[in-house]
Amino acid sequence: MIAVANARFRAIAPDLRGYGLSEKHPEPEKVSFNDFVEDTLAILDSYQIDKAFLIGKDCGAWPIYLLSLLHRTRVSGVVSLGVPFFPHRRRGYEDLPEGFYISRWKQPGRAEADFSRFDVKTVLRNIYILFSRSEIPIAQKDQEIMDIVDSSSPLPPWFTEEDLAIYASLYMNSGFSCPLQVSYRGPHGEITTTNPKLQVPVLLIMGGKDYFLKFPGIEDYITSGKVKECMPDMEMQLLPSGTHFIQEQLPEQVNQLIISFLKKHFMTWLL
């Protein structure tokens, strides 16, 4: 936000429903990405902003993709960190072992039981250690996902104990129910068109060591150019040493890519 503001753009970064300091959804079991789309539109309306660039990371990319499809006139462009747009959410997960983290976390109560064995700070520590690796998190049959991480493993060098403490304080307030429901269990939003395409400029920033590239079909989808069938006005930037948390690992490089994209397409939009 500071980098974007220093480049003379206005930056707004809300805690979406059930995250951080925001209130939880009145019916947590029904919350979905559609709620985040409506919340984002309401925020833009409250500031009397007709059109904006949207930036999302991982699961945060899906609601901005949805918003771009459903409310094209409100979007100047999209920056996605780590996740390209897919017209259909199935990605061959059935080919991965039973211990695949998404398969496990889709089961109501399983992640909650796993996490409840630890304090919030330890859960987040394990998540940052586990998901900054280049291998897909897959547990053995006699393990839960948290068991994959050795308690002696250090945090990634770019993620400090102070960062961890701040994040933990926010999750102590919000809990994990909304992130688990929205990202893994709830509907991901309805796409009614047969061949949906993002008709806005898109910047996709990927880390070369992101475990997500090892999901079935993902690397081929990106490198073969098929991704451009759904995002025809897309440019991709691959940071070879980048992991899943690329914006925290390589903030200066990511900030510069975002600012260059904003400046380029802001001037085009003015013209």
Side-chain angles (χ1 to χ4, degrees), residues 56-61 80-84 91 93 101-102 105 127-137 156 158 183-184 205-215 239-250 254:
K57 158 67 182 158
D58 194 6
C59 293
S80 175
L81 305 180
V83 179
R91 302 174 192 152
Y93 293 165
Y101 77 98
I102 290 180
W105 289 355
I127 286 173
Y128 263 87
I129 292 170
L130 187 60
F131 289 83
S132 63
R133 296 172 179 172
S134 59
E135 298 300 322
I136 299 173
W158 38 263
S183 302
Y184 304 107
I205 305 175
M206 298 290 300
K209 295 183 178 180
D210 190 336
Y211 71 86
F212 179 67
L213 290 173
K214 295 184 178 178
F215 278 28
L239 302 184
S241 64
T243 62
H244 190 64
F245 300 105
I246 193 169
Q247 78 284 4
E248 292 168 287
Q249 179 192 4
L250 303 169
V254 171

Side-chain angles (χ1 to χ4, degrees), residues 13 23 25 33 40 63 75 96-97 104 112 118-119 137 145 151-152 168 179 181 188 194 198 202 209 225 243 261 269:
E23 294 181 357
H25 193 282
F33 284 127
T40 303
V75 182
L96 292 170
R104 290 284 185 88
E112 290 88 338
F118 308 93
D119 59 37
I145 299 301
S151 60
S152 64
Q181 173 64 25
H188 287 114
T194 305
L198 294 186
V202 178
K209 295 183 178 180
T243 62
F261 176 81
W269 177 62

Side-chain angles (χ1 to χ4, degrees), residues 38-253:
E38 295 304 316
D39 290 348
T40 303
L41 288 172
I43 290 168
L44 294 178
D45 289 343
S46 71
Y47 284 105
Q48 298 182 321
I49 297 172
D50 294 327
K51 204 169 187 180
F53 290 93
L54 304 177
I55 302 175
K57 158 67 182 158
D58 194 6
C59 293
W62 189 246
I64 67 172
Y65 286 148
L66 275 179
L67 199 156
S68 301
L69 287 169
L70 300 175
H71 304 277
R72 164 69 185 86
T73 59
R74 304 300 298 273
V75 182
S76 300
V78 163
V79 179
S80 175
L81 305 180
V83 179
F85 172 64
F86 293 85
H88 305 290
R89 297 282 296 178
R90 292 187 63 189
R91 302 174 192 152
Y93 293 165
E94 64 275 7
D95 296 330
L96 292 170
E98 175 274 336
F100 175 48
Y101 77 98
I102 290 180
S103 299
R104 290 284 185 88
W105 289 355
K106 283 176 73 71
Q107 301 173 29
R110 183 147 190 177
E112 290 88 338
D114 184 10
F115 295 176
S116 70
R117 298 177 295 150
F118 308 93
D119 59 37
V120 171
K121 193 172 182 180
T122 301
V123 172
L124 289 175
R125 176 187 290 274
N126 289 348
I127 286 173
Y128 263 87
I129 292 170
L130 187 60
F131 289 83
S132 63
R133 296 172 179 172
S134 59
E135 298 300 322
I136 299 173
I138 298 174
Q140 299 299 318
K141 288 187 177 180
D142 60 348
Q143 286 183 315
E144 295 299 329
I145 299 301
M146 291 291 101
D147 297 327
I148 303 174
V149 182
D150 190 300
S151 60
S152 64
S153 299
L155 284 170
W158 38 263
F159 193 68
T160 68
E161 290 289 343
E162 182 182 5
D163 295 331
L164 179 62
I166 292 171
Y167 279 37
S169 69
L170 295 172
Y171 276 98
M172 287 175 191
N173 176 72
S174 68
F176 293 101
S177 60
C178 182
L180 288 167
Q181 173 64 25
V182 175
S183 302
Y184 304 107
R185 299 169 187 165
H188 287 114
E190 183 178 0
I191 300 176
T192 55
T193 55
T194 305
N195 295 302
K197 293 183 180 181
L198 294 186
Q199 302 292 348
V200 297
V202 178
L203 171 62
L204 175 63
I205 305 175
M206 298 290 300
K209 295 183 178 180
D210 190 336
Y211 71 86
F212 179 67
L213 290 173
K214 295 184 178 178
F215 278 28
I218 293 298
E219 190 165 14
D220 177 67
Y221 177 69
I222 294 172
T223 59
S224 68
K226 292 178 184 175
V227 64
K228 283 211 165 189
E229 295 176 7
C230 299
M231 301 191 292
D233 191 6
M234 182 207 77
E235 60 180 286
M236 176 177 159
Q237 294 289 342
L238 180 72
L239 302 184
S241 64
T243 62
H244 190 64
F245 300 105
I246 193 169
Q247 78 284 4
E248 292 168 287
Q249 179 192 4
L250 303 169
E252 292 184 1
Q253 293 180 56

Side-chain angles (χ1 to χ4, degrees), residues 26-42:
E27 298 180 278
E29 71 283 358
K30 295 183 179 179
V31 67
S32 73
F33 284 127
N34 283 330
D35 293 299
F36 292 173
V37 170
E38 295 304 316
D39 290 348
T40 303
L41 288 172

